[in-house]
Amino acid sequence: MPNPNLTKLKYISNYPGSIIESVQHLINSKKLTAYLKNKYPHPHHFNNDKLLREYVLELKAQYLKKSQPISKIEYDNKLHVIKNALGTHTSIARVQGSKLKRKYEIRISSIFKNAPPEFLAMIVVHELAHFKEYEHNKAFYKLCEYMLPNYHQLELDVRIYLTHLELIGEVY
């Protein structure tokens, strides 16, 4: 019979058992919110599409100067629910006369509108990295770490944050 005190931790299920146990302990002792609040006390201020665009383009200019221009950058309130994704990067090809033109887009799940700035940075860096590396391979993660040195820790913390949102149902 399963332990009733255990919560299914789908966002961190592929992490080592010690991490899962630590998060489970925080949940059981009702300290998950306090843990996140202590580590990431403030939300970012990029809470609309215009500010998000400026933020993404600033990071792109800093780290990916020679990559393709991005035509659309916005929050998407359907992203997490429909595509089970936190952010997407797309390229749309259109024929214009005799030329094939590509437009590139980044969409970030609206659950990050009021998240800590570190979490938004992690999602944006992830999507920007896909402009150079399409697959989640060593080169992709190396690029993510170049743009955001603590990328892997932030990815774990974002997953813990998603667990918090699922259990509590609100931003802390």
Side-chain angles (χ1 to χ4, degrees):
M1 185 167 164
N3 184 341
N5 294 326
L6 292 180
T7 306
K8 186 164 193 280
L9 302 174
K10 66 182 179 185
Y11 298 109
I12 61 169
S13 64
N14 292 328
Y15 281 85
S18 59
I19 291 175
I20 294 171
E21 288 172 18
S22 296
V23 173
Q24 187 65 60
H25 176 72
L26 288 170
I27 292 167
N28 292 347
S29 60
K30 302 200 182 317
K31 294 181 180 176
L32 184 61
T33 302
Y35 165 80
L36 288 167
K37 247 186 178 175
N38 185 46
K39 197 166 182 181
Y40 304 101
H42 305 291
H44 63 77
H45 64 277
F46 308 106
N47 53 9
N48 64 48
D49 291 343
K50 181 181 181 208
L51 293 173
L52 176 65
R53 179 176 182 74
E54 290 171 5
Y55 175 66
V56 171
L57 292 178
E58 184 178 305
L59 281 175
K60 181 184 174 296
Q62 185 175 353
Y63 296 108
L64 301 172
K65 292 177 179 109
K66 296 180 181 177
S67 67
Q68 313 85 334
I70 305 170
S71 62
K72 186 182 268 187
I73 301 167
E74 64 184 13
Y75 285 109
D76 187 333
N77 61 3
K78 297 176 186 159
L79 198 56
H80 185 61
V81 176
I82 294 174
K83 290 194 175 189
N84 200 20
L86 305 176
T88 60
H89 59 282
T90 56
S91 69
I92 301 162
R94 292 194 173 98
V95 177
Q96 290 184 340
S98 62
K99 294 182 180 179
L100 186 64
K101 298 270 185 166
R102 284 201 173 276
K103 285 191 168 193
Y104 296 90
E105 298 180 356
I106 288 181
R107 295 174 189 267
I108 305 295
S109 175
S110 292
I111 63 173
F112 291 101
K113 263 189 176 179
N114 297 305
E118 297 88 348
F119 295 174
L120 179 64
M122 182 254 142
I123 298 298
V124 169
V125 159
H126 184 98
E127 297 311 326
L128 284 172
H130 277 300
F131 284 104
K132 285 230 180 232
E133 296 291 334
Y134 298 109
E135 301 294 323
H136 292 119
N137 55 26
K138 273 188 175 182
F140 173 84
Y141 287 110
K142 189 173 181 178
L143 180 57
C144 288
E145 287 176 339
Y146 167 72
M147 291 190 281
L148 192 62
N150 58 344
Y151 175 84
H152 290 292
Q153 180 63 52
L154 286 170
E155 183 178 20
L156 171 61
D157 289 344
V158 164
R159 291 171 179 276
I160 293 170
Y161 178 70
L162 293 171
T163 300
H164 162 79
L165 289 177
E166 192 169 274
L167 293 174
I168 308 300
E170 61 186 47
V171 176
Y172 56 84

